[in-house]
Amino acid sequence: MGATFVQNGHSIDYIPDADVATGDVVVQGDLVGVARTEIKANTLGALAVDGIFDFPKATGEGTAITAGAKLYWDVADGVAKADDETGANKLIGKCVKAAGDDDETVRIRMSQ
């Protein structure tokens, strides 16, 4: 038997152990998703795994990100970074709009 189409893949089903707020970034193994709406604990919801989102980033000298750079989610710091830190940070996608040192967000096209 071959593969069977299930859905378009822009989002995936997700049942959290604890409440998830709109905009929360959720990491499952190497998969990064964003909650587009609030999801209550133990309730079926969905995480976006495709699309263009503004993610938080660190600010200060040396934190600028160029368009086209691969970006990773740092769970510990809660920001997107251009450094995968030896696999500790999980791939989100690529920067689609350059962000300067003082910018608090970076625009990313999710693609994992």
Side-chain angles (χ1 to χ4, degrees):
M1 179 174 163
T4 302
F5 178 82
V6 176
Q7 62 188 33
N8 64 24
H10 300 298
S11 63
I12 59 168
D13 291 342
Y14 179 65
I15 300 173
D17 294 330
D19 289 354
V20 174
T22 300
D24 278 357
V25 178
V26 177
V27 177
Q28 299 179 90
D30 286 332
L31 182 64
V32 178
V34 176
R36 292 181 61 191
T37 61
E38 180 182 292
I39 309 170
K40 294 291 186 186
N42 303 309
T43 302
L44 178 63
L47 300 175
V49 293
D50 187 15
I52 298 175
F53 292 84
D54 287 338
F55 281 80
K57 70 171 264 310
T59 58
E61 188 175 334
T63 62
I65 299 173
T66 59
K70 283 185 181 179
L71 294 175
Y72 303 85
W73 183 249
D74 184 322
V75 173
D77 293 340
V79 295
K81 294 182 174 177
D83 183 357
D84 77 345
E85 297 178 355
T86 317
N89 299 337
K90 304 306 177 187
L91 180 66
I92 303 168
K94 292 185 180 174
C95 175
V96 295
K97 180 181 177 188
D101 286 342
D102 294 333
D103 291 327
E104 295 179 353
T105 62
V106 59
R107 188 157 293 163
I108 301 172
R109 178 183 176 270
M110 295 181 73
S111 57
Q112 302 170 59

